[in-house]
Amino acid sequence: MDPVVTLIRSHALSDVAQYAYAATAPAGARMIFLAGSCPLDEDGATVGQGDYAAQAGRCVHTMLQALEAAGASLSDVISTRVLVASSRQADLVTAWNVVRAAFGDHDVPSTLLGVTVLGYDDQLVEIEAVAAVLDQNT
């Protein structure tokens, strides 16, 4: 199946960013808006306390499960927002590197933000995502 999401790059913009600057989906695509993926295990406990990379990895795992439940995959993601509870750029980069590696060549438009606090005890990372798919009957 051909990809639904088209990543857009511009030679007029910096190539320092590790992601496409924009993305599109065709008319008729079903949009999937994921809640923030959190680093929680099946019992609701926070995984990887104090470890930005471990929490980012768990968030990716959670995001993949939510995508699958919605009939989508990582290649259907059209944008992400990565929230990191830290004012240290190094912590943001640690979490970002895990997320970026998970996406591989599908370098969707992304925003990386440092925030003061997230919703669960000991939570350091959260990933929001939007995906687009064309259903079989579309």
Side-chain angles (χ1 to χ4, degrees):
M1 178 183 288
D2 291 329
V4 172
V5 174
T6 302
L7 302 178
I8 300 168
R9 292 157 177 59
S10 171
H11 297 294
L13 299 171
S14 171
D15 62 358
V16 172
Q18 298 178 4
Y19 46 81
Y21 278 96
T24 63
R30 178 171 53 95
M31 302 303 292
I32 302 166
F33 299 88
L34 278 67
S37 296
C38 299
L40 304 177
D41 66 16
E42 292 76 15
D43 296 322
T46 302
V47 172
Q49 292 181 18
D51 186 335
Y52 290 92
Q55 287 201 9
R58 184 60 187 206
C59 289
V60 168
H61 173 78
T62 301
M63 179 180 59
L64 291 171
Q65 289 184 314
L67 286 165
E68 183 179 341
S73 69
L74 205 61
S75 63
D76 299 313
V77 173
I78 197 166
S79 69
T80 67
R81 180 177 299 132
V82 180
L83 308 170
V84 181
S86 179
S87 61
R88 291 177 10 102
Q89 186 180 32
D91 296 335
L92 277 70
V93 170
T94 295
W96 171 251
N97 286 339
V98 172
V99 175
R100 179 66 189 91
F103 276 88
D105 290 337
H106 188 65
D107 56 345
V108 299
S110 298
T111 299
L112 175 63
L113 296 170
V115 299
T116 58
V117 66
L118 291 166
Y120 292 99
D121 291 342
D122 302 309
Q123 182 182 0
L124 300 173
V125 181
E126 187 164 331
I127 304 170
E128 297 176 7
V130 176
V133 296
L134 288 177
D135 292 320
Q136 292 294 331
N137 57 1
T138 304

